[in-house]
Amino acid sequence: FHYDLGILVHTTSKGQDLSGAFFQVVDQVNHGVPSLVQPRMQIDIAELNFNAGIKATDFSDFGTAYAYLNYALLLLPKNHWSSHYQFSLQLFLLRAKATYSCSKIEEAYGVLKEIIKNT
């Protein structure tokens, strides 16, 4: 139910400013990640979580950003570095920042190593 509600609000409000409701929409969608997400929607929902991660980072809420960015990571296809290189790079850079800001130093180092390996 939550996933369907989130998808409905997300698809009908594309391009509109959701302001305060944005995080609630993403949270509803994430109730179905990754099990309910249809393959054709994976990148769209990954981008939705990436945008939520950006907004959370702008508010210096790195714990929340870390969670959203990890949801985005779950939705990437196995070949994301070749099929969605620019998005993968942006996601991993922001994820490294959020991870480091959450004092997960070793994990942040691993994220940066992944970036270097694929650039």
Side-chain angles (χ1 to χ4, degrees):
F1 172 75
H2 293 282
Y3 171 76
D4 293 332
L5 176 63
I7 290 295
L8 178 66
V9 173
H10 170 62
T11 55
T12 58
S13 64
K14 272 193 175 177
Q16 297 176 11
D17 181 24
L18 294 177
S19 297
F22 179 72
F23 290 117
Q24 287 81 9
V25 171
V26 179
D27 290 341
Q28 295 303 311
V29 170
N30 285 345
H31 279 285
V33 171
S35 60
L36 297 177
V37 179
Q38 299 171 3
R40 64 182 169 78
M41 295 285 294
Q42 286 181 320
I43 292 298
D44 187 40
I45 295 173
E47 288 173 350
L48 182 68
N49 275 281
F50 175 71
N51 290 330
I54 291 172
K55 282 185 179 253
T57 300
D58 289 346
F59 294 132
S60 298
D61 187 353
F62 297 106
T64 301
Y66 176 80
Y68 286 128
L69 298 170
N70 282 328
Y71 274 114
L73 184 62
L74 284 172
L75 294 165
L76 292 180
K78 292 196 185 309
N79 67 338
H80 63 91
W81 283 108
S82 59
S83 63
H84 299 90
Y85 177 79
Q86 199 61 38
F87 177 63
S88 296
L89 182 60
Q90 291 173 335
L91 172 61
F92 273 68
L93 285 171
L94 188 59
R95 188 167 172 261
K97 178 181 179 178
T99 303
Y100 182 81
S101 297
C102 289
S103 299
K104 299 174 186 282
I105 308 305
E106 290 299 317
E107 187 177 343
Y109 179 68
V111 174
L112 292 171
K113 282 174 50 176
E114 180 78 13
I115 293 169
I116 291 169
K117 183 176 99 177
N118 289 287
T119 54

